[in-house]
Amino acid sequence: MATANPTAIACGNRIHLSLLPSPPPRHSSSTSPFSSPLPLSRSSALSLNSRSPKDHSFTNFEKRSRKPKGMRVECAAKEPLKVMISGAPASGKGTQCKMIVEKYGLVHISTGDILRAEVSLGTEIGKKAKEFMDNGMLVPDEIVTDMVVQRLSQQDVREGGWLLDGYPRSSSQAQSLERMNIRPDIYIVLDVPDDILIDRCVGRRLDPVTGKIYHLTNFPPESEDISTRLITRSDDTPDKAKSRLETYKKNAEAILPTYLDLLNKVDGNHPREVVFKEIDSLLQKVSENAPSTENLPTIKGNSYIYMKTADSKNDSWRGIPTRLNNIPHSREIRKYFYDDVLLATKNAVADKRNRLKVEINIPELNPEMDVYRIGTLMELVRDLALSFADDGRRVKVCVQGSMGEGALAGIPLQLAGSRKILEFMDWGEYGAKGTFINIGAIGAKEVDEQDDIFILVAPQNAVGNCIIDDLKAMTDAVGSRPVILINPRLKDMPASSGIMQTMGRDKRLEYAASFENCYSFRLLYYAGSFYPIMGALRMSYPKGYEIYKRIDEPNGKEKYVIIAEFPEKPTVDEINDAFEGRTRNKEKATSGIWSFLSGIL
Ligand code: AP5
């Protein structure tokens, strides 16, 4: 099947964009775009203040971090290890952290420990935090995030590496770290069944002198002396433990996308030494692969590489994933793009932008390519909707219904069956669908008062039928609430005779243009041979457009490096110039076929 995907062709030394057939799949994988949502997990936090309390468990903890006992893994000339450990309440994070610190000498930062220290000191922070902790709720971000960030910036942490326990605990906390470019080398999630967790909470006892964690039956204290001084945490009652578990479950999945490429799930329902053995072997691998400088390529996960660009303006962005020629895309690659879209969209919504457009043209999401997969589009929509729902918003996911009349009635081929697919998809185990997420069509009557945000799946005109009137009526009814169009195709098309369109052509075009891009991505290909990929054009709100060049490396790998940035979408000529290392006079217009192509771009 031919494709209208803009690709670049070499013309002499010059590279031009051109319409070429789509690249055929090179490798296939059996990953299904309908795979169920990610396993439940989530990160825990770590924390600390910049000040150093002298006489409570926080102090003990710090001391332990600085004086590792037993064998210690040295990572000479390498970046210090950065580890995040997460898991439900009583999954064994604290227990494992103690063992990790002893072997690896990392600085353990536990938000729970720090907060408890604040509470026992009776500080202002402690007074504010206590109420939340006692109710099994998260302490507000502004308190916790500050503590963590301050602690992470201290010299011992920078030199010795860190072990973050209990932070981030929500999507917004994870995003705070991402914005500051703070990422771990590995993200470990301890997985333990619910009933075991409650028993572990209720039976837990702490030694205020050594900071050691005991359990009445699993790890009873070694002596009567110790036994008499043990204390019970105020949030370790059965009711509070259940409520903490609920809070954990509500937030766990929202954090996952941020650390998906670093995720390692460990079965925590084994003796603590067995659990540690698995963690230890993961950490050994990570320390062996630890880069010696910040800008070296970093291997994340098994299948692809993220290349940090030299450009610090890219903040926490992980770079373009490689092996994009492999189709179907691996689950990791798909997830990478879902996360990328999600971040940009959330940033735009947070900035109160309310008419948004996502244009993502990886091969699997381009309906004009023969490798197009409706499942990938649905999965992207599900991830977006679930993530907004996790933030407590009511999301309406809308797919246009049948258009036209009589023999002319129908829906665009690409969308056929998609409403049914959405209805039958796995929307997670917390009953989000039907409460926080509802599925509807496009039109004014679909707008309900309780809807907070609207995601419209590939709204498009078909020959003879125009979606824009319905879309306009819907957005009028929506008012200032955000509407996000995913891969819209609103180019004007002629109406079929006898079917009246209420808006004139100019008005329709103007209306279609009123949605601003919050995310855009497309690959640029060389002409003549479809491979290799020449580069990519990416835009992610609030940044402008970036052009990346794909570079082959001698070891058979590849990387993407940024070669130009534009505040507005670049023209075809500007892209060509960027690849040739030239700057262009903005006034100079494109002409002929290239001006036609820039309309498509
Ligand atoms: P926090 O202290 O972090 O509590 P938590 O996440 O609920 O985790 P726990 O400390 O209860 O358990 P753990 O996984 O460390 O298990 P442990 O090793 O002790 O946070 C407390 C509160 O602070 C939160 O509820 C929140 O209010 C607030 N907070 C913290 N961070 C925050 C943030 N980022 N944002 C907002 N608020 C925040 O083990 C538990 C028991 O099991 C022990 O008795 C142990 O002996 C036993 N055990 C451990 N491993 C095993 C094993 N393998 N087999 C059998 N028993 C085991």
Side-chain angles (χ1 to χ4, degrees):
M1 185 193 202
T3 177
N5 196 37
T7 51
I9 53 173
C11 183
N13 283 334
R14 185 159 172 72
I15 299 158
H16 293 299
L17 296 179
S18 164
L19 293 178
L20 284 173
S22 60
R26 282 222 307 209
H27 303 288
S28 65
S29 90
S30 57
T31 43
S32 158
F34 297 107
S35 46
S36 58
L38 294 161
L40 178 70
S41 72
R42 156 217 47 199
S43 64
S44 45
L46 57 49
S47 60
L48 267 266
N49 293 335
S50 52
R51 54 187 198 83
S52 8
K54 295 223 161 54
D55 58 351
H56 49 61
S57 58
F58 168 21
T59 313
N60 290 329
F61 207 31
E62 285 272 77
K63 278 186 191 151
R64 287 201 306 280
S65 303
R66 286 169 189 162
K67 292 182 185 167
K69 290 179 280 182
M71 191 178 95
R72 181 168 168 179
V73 172
E74 297 294 342
C75 302
K78 294 201 167 179
E79 288 277 297
L81 209 50
K82 293 167 281 183
V83 179
M84 270 182 195
I85 188 161
S86 170
S91 55
K93 301 182 294 292
T95 302
Q96 294 301 323
C97 282
K98 189 172 183 319
M99 298 162 98
I100 295 169
V101 166
E102 281 178 3
K103 178 155 183 185
Y104 290 84
L106 306 176
V107 178
H108 180 194
I109 305 175
S110 154
T111 34
D113 283 352
I114 295 167
L115 289 168
R116 276 185 290 278
E118 297 283 353
V119 172
S120 69
L121 286 174
T123 63
E124 274 312 301
I125 287 182
K127 282 180 200 151
K128 280 188 201 149
K130 188 171 187 321
E131 196 185 328
F132 294 94
M133 295 172 79
D134 282 349
N135 287 309
M137 291 160 66
L138 294 186
V139 174
D141 282 4
E142 56 273 22
I143 296 180
V144 185
T145 298
D146 254 17
M147 296 190 322
V148 172
V149 172
Q150 281 187 39
R151 184 65 184 106
L152 283 171
S153 68
Q154 287 171 7
Q155 200 173 352
D156 60 332
V157 178
R158 280 183 296 159
E159 287 173 0
W162 45 259
L163 171 59
L164 201 45
D165 162 12
Y167 191 98
R169 240 174 166 105
S170 64
S171 170
S172 59
Q173 291 181 2
Q175 290 317 316
S176 299
L177 292 185
E178 289 288 288
R179 277 194 292 276
M180 286 175 274
N181 213 6
I182 298 171
R183 275 183 83 68
D185 300 311
I186 183 168
Y187 180 72
I188 296 170
V189 176
L190 296 177
D191 192 31
V192 176
D194 289 3
D195 50 335
I196 306 270
L197 293 170
I198 303 297
D199 170 70
R200 285 195 190 176
C201 271
V202 176
R204 171 170 39 202
R205 296 293 180 272
L206 301 177
D207 184 341
V209 176
T210 62
K212 205 164 164 188
I213 305 166
Y214 292 97
H215 187 277
L216 290 180
T217 48
N218 300 347
F219 309 115
E222 298 88 348
S223 69
E224 192 52 36
D225 270 2
I226 299 176
S227 179
T228 51
R229 66 180 187 230
L230 293 184
I231 53 169
T232 307
R233 263 170 56 171
S234 63
D235 58 353
D236 271 348
T237 63
D239 282 353
K240 288 177 184 173
K242 273 186 204 142
S243 131
R244 282 157 59 206
L245 185 56
E246 283 308 305
T247 306
Y248 169 79
K249 288 184 172 180
K250 258 196 275 164
N251 290 285
E253 230 177 293
I255 299 172
L256 270 189
T258 310
Y259 302 115
L260 197 69
D261 52 324
L262 307 170
L263 172 67
N264 283 275
K265 197 164 158 187
V266 170
D267 185 350
N269 193 19
H270 290 299
R272 58 185 168 181
E273 293 75 17
V274 176
V275 178
F276 179 67
K277 203 168 167 205
E278 189 175 345
I279 293 178
D280 187 25
S281 109
L282 291 169
L283 296 185
Q284 295 274 6
K285 277 188 213 139
V286 177
S287 356
E288 278 158 23
N289 290 336
S292 55
T293 76
E294 265 287 291
N295 285 324
L296 280 182
T298 311
I299 296 173
K300 311 257 170 137
N302 298 326
S303 56
Y304 57 97
I305 295 167
Y306 290 125
M307 183 67 193
K308 278 191 187 175
T309 70
D311 182 356
S312 60
K313 279 182 237 155
N314 278 284
D315 301 331
S316 60
W317 184 55
R318 294 170 294 170
I320 293 175
T322 57
R323 303 191 194 175
L324 289 173
N325 283 351
N326 294 2
I327 295 164
H329 294 315
S330 65
R331 179 169 174 73
E332 287 83 2
I333 295 277
R334 296 200 311 273
K335 193 68 193 149
Y336 164 88
F337 281 106
Y338 304 158
D339 293 348
D340 211 21
V341 170
L342 183 60
L343 186 63
T345 313
K346 284 201 156 177
N347 281 340
V349 170
D351 277 359
K352 309 231 173 316
R353 308 295 177 126
N354 59 11
R355 295 293 177 264
L356 298 168
K357 190 163 61 166
V358 167
E359 288 179 337
I360 171 161
N361 276 290
I362 52 175
E364 274 188 25
L365 284 172
N366 184 343
E368 287 169 13
M369 294 177 93
D370 52 8
V371 292
Y372 174 74
R373 301 175 100 204
I374 184 77
T376 304
L377 179 66
M378 298 297 125
E379 224 179 23
L380 166 65
V381 167
R382 179 180 66 183
D383 268 29
L384 271 182
L386 281 171
S387 179
F388 279 111
D390 278 343
D391 293 346
R393 292 174 188 254
R394 289 181 184 268
V395 185
K396 177 140 300 163
V397 176
C398 306
V399 187
Q400 73 194 67
S402 178
M403 302 191 298
E405 285 168 18
L408 296 171
I411 59 175
L413 190 59
Q414 178 205 352
L415 292 176
S418 53
R419 166 94 187 234
K420 271 214 164 61
I421 295 173
L422 278 172
E423 298 277 4
F424 286 115
M425 280 177 96
D426 182 348
W427 288 91
E429 49 193 89
Y430 307 119
K433 184 161 156 277
T435 53
F436 280 93
I437 298 173
N438 284 290
I439 296 175
I442 292 180
K445 66 177 179 358
E446 301 293 327
V447 178
D448 290 316
E449 203 164 311
Q450 75 267 19
D451 298 328
D452 295 318
I453 191 160
F454 299 81
I455 298 177
L456 276 49
V457 185
Q460 56 197 278
N461 295 319
V463 175
N465 291 301
C466 181
I467 188 69
I468 291 186
D469 286 338
D470 284 340
L471 196 53
K472 172 85 169 59
M474 183 171 188
T475 48
D476 286 347
V478 164
S480 61
R481 290 172 278 178
V483 176
I484 304 162
L485 312 183
I486 310 290
N487 279 6
R489 306 176 77 207
L490 302 179
K491 268 188 301 187
D492 202 42
M493 290 197 183
S496 64
S497 56
I499 296 190
M500 190 71 172
Q501 291 181 348
T502 51
M503 271 197 280
R505 184 170 186 275
D506 288 352
K507 285 262 178 255
R508 290 198 299 271
L509 288 176
E510 194 184 312
Y511 174 73
S514 69
F515 287 80
E516 66 174 308
N517 264 350
C518 65
Y519 184 82
S520 175
F521 184 93
R522 74 165 53 243
L523 290 172
L524 307 169
Y525 294 98
Y526 285 100
S529 69
F530 311 135
Y531 293 100
I533 293 167
M534 179 174 80
L537 176 65
R538 173 183 179 265
M539 178 265 167
S540 170
Y541 182 90
K543 292 185 184 150
Y545 287 79
E546 300 159 335
I547 298 176
Y548 289 83
K549 185 174 184 177
R550 198 193 64 86
I551 294 174
D552 282 313
E553 294 192 293
N555 54 7
K557 291 179 179 164
E558 60 179 355
K559 67 181 180 186
Y560 285 82
V561 289
I562 190 164
I563 56 173
E565 289 179 273
F566 296 85
E568 305 294 333
K569 187 181 266 188
T571 63
V572 174
D573 283 340
E574 284 169 331
I575 294 176
N576 282 327
D577 288 344
F579 276 91
E580 290 176 3
R582 288 210 305 251
T583 52
R584 171 171 289 263
N585 176 357
K586 273 227 161 233
E587 316 310 301
K588 194 177 162 198
T590 24
S591 59
I593 185 170
W594 311 119
S595 102
F596 164 67
L597 286 169
S598 52
I600 291 169
L601 252 183

